[in-house]
Amino acid sequence: MLKKELSVAFVLMALLFLAVACNNQEPKDQDSNSAPTSEKDGQDMKEQPEEDVTLPETTLHKTDQGESVQSLQEILNKVGYSLTVDGEFNAMTTWAVTDFQMQQEGMAVSGIYNKATKEALSNAIENELSVEPAAGLAKPDNDKSTISNPHEILTLVNKKHALPANFVPRNLVKPDVRFPFTESLPKMQMREVAAGALEEMFQAGDDAGIDLFAQSGYRSYDRQDAIFASNVAQHGEEAANTFSARPGESEHQSGLTMDITSPDIGYKLTVEFGETDEGKWVQQHAAEYGFIIRYPKEKKEITKYQYEPWHLRYVGQDAAEEIMQKGLTLEEYLGVK
């Protein structure tokens, strides 16, 4: 009898133990903090790494747009800028590129994203370097009449967009080309990037058997003031302003312009230059070296200046080829009325 009672008690204790064990076991599908059920779930719980942004390989400048510009804007933001990443190479992006270039020792300042700029930005990212925005060039302001970024290659200088009176271009040099005079004058100078391109163009002209001469490049604000005053005294202000710029409104102050001529017209700056072998060759080939004829025929309503086949303006090869092939003015190319 005792054995039977003990056996029953043992069975009851065993059943009680099993019941308690089952109640303490938590079902997997009710645990909100349960471990991930798959490899993908585990990845979703981890913080996703920031995507790498690759520096564009192509040259970029104002008016460009697209993914390459967007990547450039993101990289510029990584080194300290606060640009809107919209894929538009606008005034603020141009300013940031120019400002960055001005803070790099020995770098040519152009406002154009090029190989040298790419290398400097790559170095800054790799070494976790940053720049102080506006340490090289102040941010653009809302004064549309005065150019806020006179260092960029595509800066528009005209009657509505004037250079600051105190602006003097960096890196002015004398190009190794022919001049019809021997005196050492400031007007022999250009910005280094434009001077190098002019040398290449003159060499190509020599190879083609034409005889180009450089006549007038850089002019200071004060020098332009004196020239304009003299022309006003001779012709009156209205007439003078069709062929001569007021101080600040002259492209010559930018250091990106050179007036050219030839012996066939006595080294003068006249519309007849366009009919010479030299003038025709320049019309065909100037863009290959980054130059445009700034004041073309039948565009006076836009440029506000008469036809000047001798007046070459450096804008860089990409922009120059599009402008010359399409028969545009710089105003039309930049979309400025």
Side-chain angles (χ1 to χ4, degrees):
M1 185 67 178
L2 181 59
K3 286 182 179 181
K4 184 177 180 180
E5 291 176 352
L6 287 173
S7 181
V8 171
F10 178 78
V11 170
L12 290 173
M13 288 179 65
L15 289 173
L16 180 62
F17 176 78
L18 288 172
V20 171
C22 288
N23 287 335
N24 286 339
Q25 186 174 355
E26 297 178 357
K28 291 181 180 179
D29 59 351
Q30 293 180 3
D31 186 2
S32 60
N33 296 318
S34 61
T37 58
S38 69
E39 183 180 352
K40 182 178 184 302
D41 292 337
Q43 290 174 348
D44 290 342
M45 291 174 63
K46 295 178 183 178
E47 183 179 352
Q48 294 298 313
E50 187 176 336
E51 290 186 11
D52 290 333
V53 180
T54 304
L55 278 163
E57 296 293 337
T58 184
T59 298
L60 298 169
H61 56 68
K62 190 162 64 179
T63 74
D64 283 336
Q65 54 187 332
E67 293 182 3
S68 293
V69 177
Q70 182 175 320
S71 297
L72 173 60
Q73 291 169 331
E74 291 176 358
I75 290 292
L76 286 166
N77 286 347
K78 283 179 178 290
V79 300
Y81 295 95
S82 300
L83 302 176
T84 300
V85 180
D86 57 7
E88 300 283 340
F89 205 119
N90 50 26
M92 287 302 295
T93 302
T94 305
W95 160 75
V97 171
T98 307
D99 181 60
F100 178 80
Q101 290 172 338
M102 293 181 74
Q103 296 187 53
Q104 310 305 305
E105 186 175 356
M107 179 176 288
V109 178
S110 64
I112 293 176
Y113 171 78
N114 50 23
K115 182 179 179 181
T117 309
K118 176 181 181 292
E119 291 174 354
L121 281 169
S122 179
N123 178 66
I125 294 296
E126 183 178 345
N127 293 287
E128 298 183 352
L129 304 176
S130 61
V131 298
E132 181 183 346
L137 177 67
K139 280 187 178 181
D141 56 31
N142 294 321
D143 183 1
K144 302 297 184 183
S145 62
T146 301
I147 296 166
S148 57
N149 186 355
H151 302 277
E152 63 152 319
I153 297 297
L154 280 169
T155 191
L156 178 64
V157 184
N158 60 19
K159 295 180 190 297
K160 293 183 178 180
H161 301 84
L163 291 162
N166 62 353
F167 172 68
V168 178
R170 288 186 171 192
N171 308 118
L172 284 171
V173 299
K174 175 185 172 296
D176 185 15
V177 297
R178 291 181 297 274
F179 290 86
F181 51 85
T182 57
E183 304 98 317
S184 180
L185 300 173
K187 69 176 185 176
M188 301 173 86
Q189 299 178 100
M190 298 183 80
R191 283 174 60 175
E192 188 173 11
V193 63
L198 191 74
E199 291 171 356
E200 292 180 10
M201 190 182 79
F202 269 54
Q203 182 59 59
D206 289 348
D207 296 342
I210 65 167
D211 205 9
L212 290 172
F213 279 75
Q215 178 66 272
S216 183
Y218 169 68
R219 293 180 204 149
S220 68
Y221 183 95
D222 290 342
R223 175 61 179 157
Q224 188 65 36
D225 191 17
I227 290 173
F228 185 72
S230 175
N231 286 324
V232 169
Q234 293 182 55
H235 307 281
E237 185 170 357
E238 184 176 348
N241 204 28
T242 65
F243 63 87
S244 179
R246 292 184 174 89
E249 298 175 7
S250 171
E251 286 199 324
H252 286 276
Q253 188 186 346
S254 73
L256 297 169
T257 289
M258 181 63 76
D259 291 336
I260 60 173
T261 185
S262 70
D264 287 350
I265 53 172
Y267 307 109
K268 295 178 182 178
L269 302 178
T270 68
V271 293
E272 285 74 27
F273 176 72
E275 300 304 317
T276 65
D277 291 341
E278 286 75 19
K280 293 175 182 177
W281 186 90
V282 167
Q283 173 76 34
Q284 262 190 313
H285 298 284
E288 298 168 20
Y289 306 94
F291 291 97
I292 60 172
I293 295 174
R294 178 65 176 91
Y295 307 119
K297 282 183 178 180
E298 301 174 358
K299 294 285 187 174
K300 184 178 177 180
E301 289 302 311
I302 297 173
T303 66
K304 308 304 180 185
Y305 289 105
Q306 65 182 26
Y307 170 49
E308 294 188 359
W310 65 84
H311 183 109
L312 297 186
R313 160 67 191 273
Y314 183 78
V315 294
Q317 186 177 351
D318 290 347
E321 289 184 343
E322 183 174 351
I323 288 170
M324 294 296 283
Q325 286 171 4
K326 294 182 177 180
L328 304 175
T329 63
L330 186 57
E331 285 84 357
E332 290 170 308
Y333 177 74
L334 296 174
V336 178
K337 295 182 180 180

